[in-house]
Amino acid sequence: MRKLRVFSKIFAPICVSALLLTGFNGSLAAASTVVNPPIAEEKATLVTIYLKDKKSLDKLVNEGFDLVEHVHEQNGKLEIDAVVTDRELQQLKEKGYQVETVTTQEQVQNILIQRQQKVEEEAKLTAAADEIKILRANYFESQKETFLYIEAKSNAGTVASVILNASWKEKGTSQTATLQKVEDAGAYLYHSLLIPVEKVPNEVTVTSNQGGKTAKKVTEWVGGGKPDKRNKHYVSDFVDHYMNPTEVTDRIEALAKEFPKLAEVVEMPNKTNGYRRKAQNIAGKKENHSSIVISSKAWGHEGGNDVMIELAKPSEKGAPLKVTVDGSKVNVSLATDESGQAISTGNQVKEAINQTAGSLVTASKAYQSTGNGVIAPQTVKLTDSLNAPATVSRDPFAMKALRIGKQRDGSKLGVLAYSQEHAREWVTPLVSVETAERLLRNYATDKGTRNLVDNLDIFIVPTVNPDGGHYSFYDYNMQRKNMTNYCEGTEYGDPSIRNSWGVDLNRNHEIGSVYDGYSGASTSCTSGSFAGPEEVSEPEAKNLIWLADQNANIKFAMNIHSYGGYFMWPPGAYKAEGRETLPRPTAGQEAYFWAASNTILDEIKNHRGTVILPSRTGPVPDVLYSAAGNSADALWYKKGIYAWDFEVGADLYDAATGKWQPVGFQPEFKEGHEEAMEFSNGLIGMLKVANDYQKDKKAPASKLVKKKATNGFEVEFTTSEPATVYYTLDGSRPTFQSPTINLRGIRETDGEKLSITRSTVINWFSMDASGNIEKNYHPDTNPKKYNSEVIKIK
C-alpha cells in the first residue's frame, strides 16, 4: 500500500491579528450586532508521499499538486514531498494513502517568535550609534613577516549586520579591513583582525556601520605567546536571523551605499502586484447553500477594509429586496414574505448588490455553494486578512538587484544569482546576502575575493518573489507562489482558499512550458504549480528576463531554491508522452556542467562536510521531475547562459534510524544558518568557475578513434577538455549548424559513437565552453583548418 507521511502541519504564523480579531468582535457585540469574522483560510500540510516508481511520480506531477523539490529513494520506495490542503489530503486518503504525523505546527511558530525577538533586539541595539572599545592593537613579527592584530568590541556586536572596520595609514596610504566577529557557544566575544603589513602603523581607527568610532595606538605584542594562529584573513557569517524581503532589500541598498566604488543597486522596471489584496468576506452559510463572497473594489489598505455589508430584515411584511449605499456601508434590506420571514436567497442578494453597489463591492459565487439557500440577516465586515506590520509596504514592490564589480560596464563576464522564486524558501535569500557581504567586505584584504570582484560583473537578486515572501512570513508560511490572484471572479476567489492563489514563478517562463505540452505545471489558478494565464505573464518573471536581456555579458546563472540538497542543470522539462525532454546539452556541454559541479560542490562541502549526493546531481529530469516553464531553461535555451539550480538544505542522516531526514523549508535558524553558509561557499565556487571560464584562452584538441565493427567502423571522438564536437559525414565543411556529438545515454558521460558502414570523409572541429575553437578554425573567417579523416570500407 502506498504510504503518505505528514511531517509538518502548517498554519498562519502567530501575529497580532488574533488580538485585533478579539477586540473587533467585542466592540461589535457591544453594539448588539452579529458580525461575520474574517474567513479562516484553508489549512495545508507538508507531507511525504511514497510511490512505487517514476511513472507514479509523473502522474502526481501532472495532477497539479504543490510538489516540493525533494525526491528521495529510501528503503526501496520513492518519496516525494508535497504541500496539500485538507481537501487534497482527504483525496489522497481516499486513494489509499496512509498518513503519519511526524512534527507539529509549533515548530514554525517558535521559529517565527525567535525571528521576531531577534528583529526587536537588532532594532533596539542599532537605534543609536554603538560604543566601540578596542581591546588590543598590536603588531608582531613572525617568520620574517610583520603582522597587525586588532581586537575590538561593540555593545551591539551580537547583531550580525553590525560591521566593524579598521583603518590605518601605511607608508602614507590609507588601508582598510573588516573585522571578523568571534563567537563561542553562541555568545559574542569580540571582533578581530590579523593581517600582514609592510610597515607598522602608529594608530588604528575602528568604526562601525552603526556610527561608533574609536582609535588606539599600536604597540608591540608582548606576553603569553602569539595572539592568533596565522590564517588568511577572510570574514564571513553576516546573517543571524531569517529576513523578510523588505529587510533583504534594505540590506543590499545599504551595501551599495557603503561600497559605492564596488556595488550599485539595479532597479528592475516591472513592479510586482504588491503585498495587497481586496477586502473580502462571506455572507450566508455554506451549510444551507446561501453563502456568497463579497469583495471590495478597492485594495484592503486603500479603503476596502472599511467596507461593511449589513443584511437586515425589515419589520414590514411582503417587503421587496432593496440595496442602498451609504459611504463605505452597503445596506441590504432583505425581502420578506406575507408572514414577515426573510426569503432572499444568496444569489438574489448577490445580483442586487452587483446592480446597486457595484462601484464599491463585487458579489460572487462562494466555493461549493449554489447560493440558492435563504440568507439570514447579518453584518459582514470586509478584510484583506493581511497581517504584516506597517513596515511592510502594501504598494507594488520594486524588485532590485545588487550589482557587484570593479568594472560594471558590461566589459566583464556577467554572473547572475537569484533566490526566493518560491516564497516559503526562507534560507535562500540568506545565501544571496551572505555572498554579497563576503564579496564586498573581503575585497580589501583577500586576494581571491579581489580577483573575482575585479574580473566579474556579478548580479545578485536576493528575492524574486517579494510579495509572496512577505505573505509567507506573516500570513501563511507555506506560500509558494506570488500574490497575483487570477481566481478573482470565480468560485475559487472564495477567501477561504486564498492560500491557493498566485502564480508559480518557476513555471511562468516560455521555454518548455505547460502551454507547449510539457509536464510539471498546471493551468488551474489554485494549483501549487499554476503557470499563470500565459507564458511570462508575471512582472517577476519579466524582470528576470529583462536583466538577462539588458546585460548580454551574463553567461552564468544560479537559481537558489530549497530544500533537499540538489545541484541541477537543463533540461528541466519533458513531455510525459515518451518522456521527451527539451534538447539535451551536447556531450561537451554536459561534460562542462559536470566539471563545474566538482568545484562548486567541493566548496559546499568545505563548510561542514555536507556532500550533495551523486543521485541529486545532474540534469533536472534525471534527479527530480519535470518542471515545465522553469527559469533556468529560459536562460539556457533562450540566452545561452550556463544555468544551474541549487536546492539548499541537504537531508541530515540519522544514525539511530539509518535514514535520511528532510530539513524542510524553514528549519530552526541554527540549521538554516549552516545551510546559508555552505551554499554561499558554493555560490562563490560558481564565481570561481566563471572567472576561470573567461580566462581560458586555450583551444581544445580532439582526436578521432575508430574501431573495426561488423559492417565497417565505430567512430568516437576524444577531447583534451570538455568540448562540443561538430562534424559532417559527407565530406562537406563543418559549421555551427552541423550535427554535434551528444551523450550516449542518460547519466552517461561518454560521447556517442558513430557507425560508419560505407567509405566517407569525416570532417570535424571542437569548441570548448569558453568559445575557444580547435586550430582557430571558423567556418567563415578561417575555413580550412578543420580536422579531416578518410574512412575506407572495402
Side-chain angles (χ1 to χ4, degrees), residues 383-412:
T383 173
D384 61 12
S385 299
L386 296 178
N387 298 308
T391 53
V392 174
S393 172
R394 269 59 174 175
D395 295 329
F397 199 95
M399 287 175 57
K400 296 177 181 179
L402 182 65
R403 187 177 188 177
I404 298 173
K406 184 67 173 177
Q407 293 176 260
R408 302 182 301 278
D409 56 5
S411 62
K412 299 294 184 180

Short mmCIF file of all heavy atoms in Angstrom, two decimals, residues 383-412:
data_model
loop_
_atom_site.label_atom_id
_atom_site.label_comp_id
_atom_site.label_asym_id
_atom_site.label_seq_id
_atom_site.Cartn_x
_atom_site.Cartn_y
_atom_site.Cartn_z
N THR A 383 -12.36 42.39 5.03
CA THR A 383 -10.97 42.49 5.45
C THR A 383 -10.08 41.85 4.40
O THR A 383 -10.47 40.88 3.75
CB THR A 383 -10.75 41.79 6.80
OG1 THR A 383 -9.35 41.77 7.09
CG2 THR A 383 -11.23 40.36 6.79
N ASP A 384 -8.87 42.40 4.25
CA ASP A 384 -7.92 41.77 3.33
C ASP A 384 -7.15 40.63 3.98
O ASP A 384 -6.36 39.94 3.33
CB ASP A 384 -6.94 42.80 2.74
CG ASP A 384 -6.09 43.50 3.79
OD1 ASP A 384 -6.07 43.06 4.96
OD2 ASP A 384 -5.45 44.51 3.45
N SER A 385 -7.36 40.42 5.29
CA SER A 385 -6.77 39.30 6.04
C SER A 385 -5.25 39.30 6.03
O SER A 385 -4.63 38.25 6.22
CB SER A 385 -7.29 37.95 5.50
OG SER A 385 -8.69 37.86 5.63
N LEU A 386 -4.63 40.45 5.79
CA LEU A 386 -3.17 40.53 5.77
C LEU A 386 -2.67 41.00 7.13
O LEU A 386 -3.22 41.94 7.71
CB LEU A 386 -2.71 41.49 4.67
CG LEU A 386 -3.06 41.05 3.24
CD1 LEU A 386 -2.58 42.10 2.24
CD2 LEU A 386 -2.45 39.69 2.92
N ASN A 387 -1.61 40.36 7.61
CA ASN A 387 -1.17 40.57 8.99
C ASN A 387 0.21 41.19 9.14
O ASN A 387 0.68 41.35 10.26
CB ASN A 387 -1.17 39.22 9.71
CG ASN A 387 -2.55 38.61 9.78
OD1 ASN A 387 -3.50 39.25 10.20
ND2 ASN A 387 -2.67 37.37 9.33
N ALA A 388 0.87 41.52 8.04
CA ALA A 388 2.20 42.11 8.15
C ALA A 388 2.11 43.48 8.83
O ALA A 388 1.11 44.19 8.69
CB ALA A 388 2.85 42.25 6.78
N PRO A 389 3.15 43.87 9.55
CA PRO A 389 3.14 45.20 10.18
C PRO A 389 3.22 46.31 9.15
O PRO A 389 3.47 46.06 7.95
CB PRO A 389 4.40 45.17 11.05
CG PRO A 389 5.31 44.19 10.38
CD PRO A 389 4.41 43.14 9.82
N ALA A 390 3.04 47.53 9.61
CA ALA A 390 3.02 48.68 8.70
C ALA A 390 4.37 48.91 8.03
O ALA A 390 4.45 49.59 7.01
CB ALA A 390 2.61 49.93 9.47
N THR A 391 5.43 48.32 8.58
CA THR A 391 6.75 48.48 7.97
C THR A 391 6.85 47.75 6.63
O THR A 391 7.78 48.00 5.85
CB THR A 391 7.84 47.93 8.91
OG1 THR A 391 7.49 46.59 9.29
CG2 THR A 391 7.98 48.80 10.13
N VAL A 392 5.91 46.85 6.37
CA VAL A 392 5.85 46.17 5.08
C VAL A 392 4.86 46.91 4.19
O VAL A 392 3.66 46.94 4.46
CB VAL A 392 5.43 44.69 5.23
CG1 VAL A 392 5.23 44.04 3.87
CG2 VAL A 392 6.47 43.93 6.04
N SER A 393 5.36 47.51 3.12
CA SER A 393 4.52 48.29 2.23
C SER A 393 3.49 47.41 1.53
O SER A 393 3.78 46.28 1.16
CB SER A 393 5.39 49.00 1.19
OG SER A 393 4.58 49.62 0.21
N ARG A 394 2.30 47.97 1.34
CA ARG A 394 1.25 47.28 0.56
C ARG A 394 1.30 47.68 -0.91
O ARG A 394 0.54 47.17 -1.71
CB ARG A 394 -0.11 47.63 1.13
CG ARG A 394 -0.64 46.69 2.21
CD ARG A 394 0.23 46.57 3.41
NE ARG A 394 -0.40 45.76 4.46
CZ ARG A 394 0.18 45.41 5.59
NH1 ARG A 394 1.44 45.79 5.83
NH2 ARG A 394 -0.45 44.67 6.50
N ASP A 395 2.19 48.56 -1.27
CA ASP A 395 2.26 49.03 -2.66
C ASP A 395 3.02 48.04 -3.53
O ASP A 395 3.76 47.19 -3.02
CB ASP A 395 2.94 50.39 -2.72
CG ASP A 395 2.14 51.47 -2.02
OD1 ASP A 395 0.89 51.36 -2.02
OD2 ASP A 395 2.75 52.40 -1.47
N PRO A 396 2.87 48.13 -4.84
CA PRO A 396 3.69 47.30 -5.74
C PRO A 396 5.17 47.44 -5.40
O PRO A 396 5.66 48.53 -5.10
CB PRO A 396 3.36 47.86 -7.12
CG PRO A 396 1.95 48.36 -6.98
CD PRO A 396 1.89 48.94 -5.59
N PHE A 397 5.86 46.33 -5.43
CA PHE A 397 7.25 46.26 -4.97
C PHE A 397 8.20 46.43 -6.14
O PHE A 397 8.03 45.80 -7.18
CB PHE A 397 7.49 44.91 -4.30
CG PHE A 397 8.69 44.85 -3.40
CD1 PHE A 397 8.56 45.07 -2.04
CD2 PHE A 397 9.96 44.58 -3.90
CE1 PHE A 397 9.65 45.00 -1.19
CE2 PHE A 397 11.06 44.52 -3.08
CZ PHE A 397 10.91 44.73 -1.71
N ALA A 398 9.19 47.27 -5.96
CA ALA A 398 10.23 47.45 -6.98
C ALA A 398 11.35 46.44 -6.73
O ALA A 398 12.09 46.56 -5.77
CB ALA A 398 10.78 48.87 -6.95
N MET A 399 11.43 45.44 -7.57
CA MET A 399 12.47 44.42 -7.42
C MET A 399 13.84 45.02 -7.72
O MET A 399 13.98 45.81 -8.66
CB MET A 399 12.20 43.24 -8.35
CG MET A 399 11.03 42.37 -7.93
SD MET A 399 10.69 41.08 -9.17
CE MET A 399 12.28 40.24 -9.26
N LYS A 400 14.83 44.61 -6.93
CA LYS A 400 16.16 45.18 -7.08
C LYS A 400 17.24 44.11 -7.08
O LYS A 400 17.11 43.09 -6.40
CB LYS A 400 16.42 46.19 -5.96
CG LYS A 400 15.47 47.39 -6.02
CD LYS A 400 15.68 48.36 -4.88
CE LYS A 400 14.67 49.51 -4.98
NZ LYS A 400 14.81 50.47 -3.88
N ALA A 401 18.28 44.39 -7.84
CA ALA A 401 19.46 43.54 -7.87
C ALA A 401 20.64 44.34 -7.36
O ALA A 401 20.72 45.56 -7.56
CB ALA A 401 19.73 43.04 -9.29
N LEU A 402 21.57 43.66 -6.70
CA LEU A 402 22.82 44.28 -6.30
C LEU A 402 23.87 43.89 -7.32
O LEU A 402 24.13 42.70 -7.53
CB LEU A 402 23.24 43.81 -4.91
CG LEU A 402 24.53 44.44 -4.36
CD1 LEU A 402 24.34 45.94 -4.14
CD2 LEU A 402 24.95 43.76 -3.06
N ARG A 403 24.44 44.88 -7.97
CA ARG A 403 25.47 44.63 -8.99
C ARG A 403 26.84 44.91 -8.38
O ARG A 403 27.11 46.03 -7.93
CB ARG A 403 25.23 45.51 -10.21
CG ARG A 403 26.15 45.22 -11.39
CD ARG A 403 25.79 46.07 -12.58
NE ARG A 403 26.53 45.69 -13.79
CZ ARG A 403 26.37 46.24 -14.98
NH1 ARG A 403 25.48 47.22 -15.14
NH2 ARG A 403 27.07 45.82 -16.02
N ILE A 404 27.68 43.90 -8.36
CA ILE A 404 28.99 43.98 -7.73
C ILE A 404 30.09 43.79 -8.76
O ILE A 404 30.05 42.83 -9.55
CB ILE A 404 29.14 42.92 -6.62
CG1 ILE A 404 28.09 43.16 -5.52
CG2 ILE A 404 30.54 42.92 -6.02
CD1 ILE A 404 28.05 42.07 -4.47
N GLY A 405 31.07 44.67 -8.77
CA GLY A 405 32.20 44.53 -9.67
C GLY A 405 33.02 45.81 -9.71
O GLY A 405 32.47 46.90 -9.54
N LYS A 406 34.30 45.66 -9.92
CA LYS A 406 35.16 46.84 -10.06
C LYS A 406 34.80 47.61 -11.32
O LYS A 406 34.79 48.83 -11.36
CB LYS A 406 36.63 46.40 -10.11
CG LYS A 406 37.63 47.55 -10.16
CD LYS A 406 37.62 48.35 -8.88
CE LYS A 406 38.73 49.39 -8.87
NZ LYS A 406 38.70 50.23 -7.66
N GLN A 407 34.48 46.87 -12.39
CA GLN A 407 34.02 47.47 -13.65
C GLN A 407 32.63 46.92 -13.94
O GLN A 407 32.47 45.73 -14.19
CB GLN A 407 34.98 47.14 -14.78
CG GLN A 407 36.34 47.79 -14.64
CD GLN A 407 37.29 47.36 -15.75
OE1 GLN A 407 38.14 46.50 -15.58
NE2 GLN A 407 37.13 47.98 -16.91
N ARG A 408 31.64 47.80 -13.91
CA ARG A 408 30.26 47.38 -14.10
C ARG A 408 29.69 48.01 -15.37
O ARG A 408 28.61 48.60 -15.35
CB ARG A 408 29.44 47.77 -12.87
CG ARG A 408 29.98 47.18 -11.57
CD ARG A 408 29.15 47.53 -10.36
NE ARG A 408 29.04 48.96 -10.12
CZ ARG A 408 29.95 49.71 -9.51
NH1 ARG A 408 31.08 49.17 -9.09
NH2 ARG A 408 29.74 51.01 -9.33
N ASP A 409 30.45 47.86 -16.44
CA ASP A 409 30.06 48.47 -17.71
C ASP A 409 29.77 47.44 -18.79
O ASP A 409 29.61 47.78 -19.96
CB ASP A 409 31.15 49.43 -18.20
CG ASP A 409 32.51 48.74 -18.32
OD1 ASP A 409 32.58 47.50 -18.13
OD2 ASP A 409 33.50 49.44 -18.60
N GLY A 410 29.69 46.18 -18.41
CA GLY A 410 29.42 45.12 -19.37
C GLY A 410 30.65 44.54 -20.03
O GLY A 410 30.55 43.62 -20.83
N SER A 411 31.83 45.07 -19.68
CA SER A 411 33.06 44.58 -20.30
C SER A 411 33.57 43.30 -19.66
O SER A 411 34.40 42.60 -20.24
CB SER A 411 34.14 45.66 -20.23
OG SER A 411 34.45 45.97 -18.87
N LYS A 412 33.08 42.98 -18.47
CA LYS A 412 33.50 41.78 -17.77
C LYS A 412 32.41 40.71 -17.86
O LYS A 412 31.23 41.01 -18.08
CB LYS A 412 33.79 42.09 -16.29
CG LYS A 412 34.91 43.10 -16.07
CD LYS A 412 36.26 42.54 -16.52
CE LYS A 412 37.39 43.51 -16.21
NZ LYS A 412 38.71 43.00 -16.63
#
